Amino acid sequence: MTEIFKFIIDSRNAFIRLLDELTLDELNQIPAGFNNNIIWNFGHIVVSTQTLCYVRTGITSDTSFVKYIEAYKKGSKPEYFVSAEEVAELKQLAISTIQKIQEDYQKGIFEKIVPFDTSTFGELINSIEELLVTTVGHDNTHFGYAMAQRRAIKK
């Protein structure tokens, strides 16, 4: 699992480098043909992984610990201009929340989870290991959307 956690962090660092290449206006711009923007895709992976790992697995029933959940949860869309401060905090959370999940994994917190179906991939998740592999796919799907949005913005 060490490799999976490393890959998630490496992928998120690649996403952060993409954010760093763009202006705040570009991060907030919704390109033609899209219903969200680059910063929404980034914020979405940050809140989704926490929600999936802790709430959907039955570890906790409360989402109040997930900062920015309302702005970036599944089914949401960009509702406001995201500030530089929020972008910086999302970058920090993208890494620190995975480190926290890794710490909790090593402590055995996820040994028994409630299996659930993913809405994105339609597959039954039976273990935290399966969930973390699915997270890799989910994160990179949204990274791909963000790269396509960058191409649309930078035409």
Side-chain angles (χ1 to χ4, degrees), residues 24-54:
L24 200 53
D25 286 335
E26 290 169 332
L27 294 177
N28 279 280
Q29 182 180 339
I30 300 174
F34 291 90
N35 62 2
N36 57 41
N37 53 30
I38 292 168
I39 196 58
W40 184 91
N41 278 286
F42 186 72
H44 176 70
I45 68 168
V46 173
V47 304
S48 293
T49 302
Q50 295 172 79
T51 305
L52 289 169
C53 286
Y54 292 100

Side-chain angles (χ1 to χ4, degrees), residues 17-80:
R17 286 190 298 276
L18 172 67
L19 300 182
D20 289 344
E21 294 173 7
L22 301 167
T23 67
L24 200 53
D25 286 335
E26 290 169 332
L27 294 177
N28 279 280
Q29 182 180 339
I30 300 174
F34 291 90
N35 62 2
N36 57 41
N37 53 30
I38 292 168
I39 196 58
W40 184 91
N41 278 286
F42 186 72
H44 176 70
I45 68 168
V46 173
V47 304
S48 293
T49 302
Q50 295 172 79
T51 305
L52 289 169
C53 286
Y54 292 100
V55 180
R56 291 292 308 272
T57 60
I59 302 301
T60 183
S61 60
D62 181 19
T63 59
S64 65
F65 71 96
V66 182
K67 190 158 187 181
Y68 301 114
I69 190 164
E70 290 304 314
Y72 301 108
K73 69 183 179 183
K74 182 177 178 66
S76 68
K77 61 182 182 188
E79 300 279 341
Y80 59 90

Side-chain angles (χ1 to χ4, degrees), residues 78-148:
E79 300 279 341
Y80 59 90
F81 189 89
V82 176
S83 68
E85 293 77 20
E86 186 169 322
V87 172
E89 188 167 20
L90 285 169
K91 288 179 194 177
Q92 183 273 324
L93 288 169
I95 304 304
S96 67
T97 57
I98 296 302
Q99 291 168 332
K100 170 73 170 132
I101 292 166
Q102 185 172 16
E103 288 171 18
D104 287 346
Y105 177 82
Q106 290 166 343
K107 291 177 187 172
I109 293 196
F110 302 108
E111 282 182 22
K112 292 182 182 166
I113 70 164
V114 175
F116 66 94
D117 284 320
T118 63
S119 56
T120 303
F121 299 109
E123 294 296 322
L124 183 65
I125 300 295
N126 293 296
S127 69
I128 192 66
E129 292 83 5
E130 290 178 5
L131 177 53
L132 292 168
V133 169
T134 302
T135 292
V136 170
H138 181 258
D139 280 12
N140 285 303
T141 295
H142 285 279
F143 182 52
Y145 290 149
M147 290 177 61

